[in-house]
Amino acid sequence: MKRAIVTIAATIAGIVLLLGFKTHPMPETTSTGPVAASSPTAGASQQPSSGATAAVPPATATPATGAPATGTSTLTGTTVETQYGPVQVQVTVTGTKITDVTAIQVPSGNGRDQQINSYAIPQLTQEVLTAQSAHVDMVSGGTYTSEGYLTSLQSALDKIGIK
């Protein structure tokens, strides 16, 4: 009799947990399929998509040789479409030193996205500034944001010739 009561209580608890489970919404799609990542053009101004946190200023031109510039350059990485929304970063480089990284687009479709971004973005920024590279560990709990952030950052660094 005691086993039956424990079994029934455990089953009810499991059903309550299952019914309370919340999933993320599906990513936006267009009539031709999923929204593709776009590559910014140097000198062109872009309008951010929904979920953007700031306007995107034009990218600074770099030497055609692929060698790092000696002055300060601000470059915008490609927009990376993640399962939960777009991620795009802007990096400021002085010579070959990364001096600032700003997330200009992050997923913001719901409160959970905002919660993840509130701890993942500052942690990623600090790790990148410390490592002076896009080769850093991803943030636990913010895997998709981390992948998008680091991919966009690397695309900006590739434009100036920094690995």
Side-chain angles (χ1 to χ4, degrees):
M1 183 69 174
K2 290 181 182 179
R3 280 189 195 172
I5 293 172
V6 170
T7 303
I8 291 172
T11 302
I12 291 172
I15 290 172
V16 168
L17 290 173
L18 183 61
L19 293 175
F21 183 72
K22 305 262 190 272
T23 61
H24 283 286
M26 294 298 292
E28 294 179 26
T29 58
T30 63
S31 60
T32 59
V35 178
S38 63
S39 175
T41 305
S45 179
Q46 298 178 350
Q47 296 297 323
S49 65
S50 65
T53 58
V56 179
T60 304
T62 58
T65 61
T70 55
T72 299
S73 300
T74 300
L75 298 136
T76 303
T78 59
T79 301
V80 178
E81 287 295 330
T82 69
Q83 183 174 346
Y84 301 109
V87 179
Q88 185 177 31
V89 301
Q90 185 176 60
V91 61
T92 302
V93 179
T94 302
T96 58
K97 181 178 169 117
I98 300 171
T99 56
D100 187 37
V101 182
T102 305
I104 55 177
Q105 284 191 74
V106 293
S108 60
N110 60 46
R112 180 71 177 136
D113 291 338
Q114 295 166 4
Q115 180 184 20
I116 290 169
N117 295 333
S118 71
Y119 70 85
I121 299 300
Q123 187 172 343
L124 286 165
T125 300
Q126 185 58 46
E127 287 186 25
V128 167
L129 292 174
T130 300
Q132 290 294 301
S133 167
H135 302 289
V136 297
D137 292 335
M138 289 192 276
V139 176
S140 178
T143 303
Y144 293 104
T145 299
S146 296
E147 286 176 348
Y149 183 99
L150 297 174
T151 301
S152 181
L153 174 64
Q154 188 61 57
S155 74
L157 295 176
D158 288 345
K159 290 177 188 177
I160 197 165
I162 297 175
K163 300 292 177 191

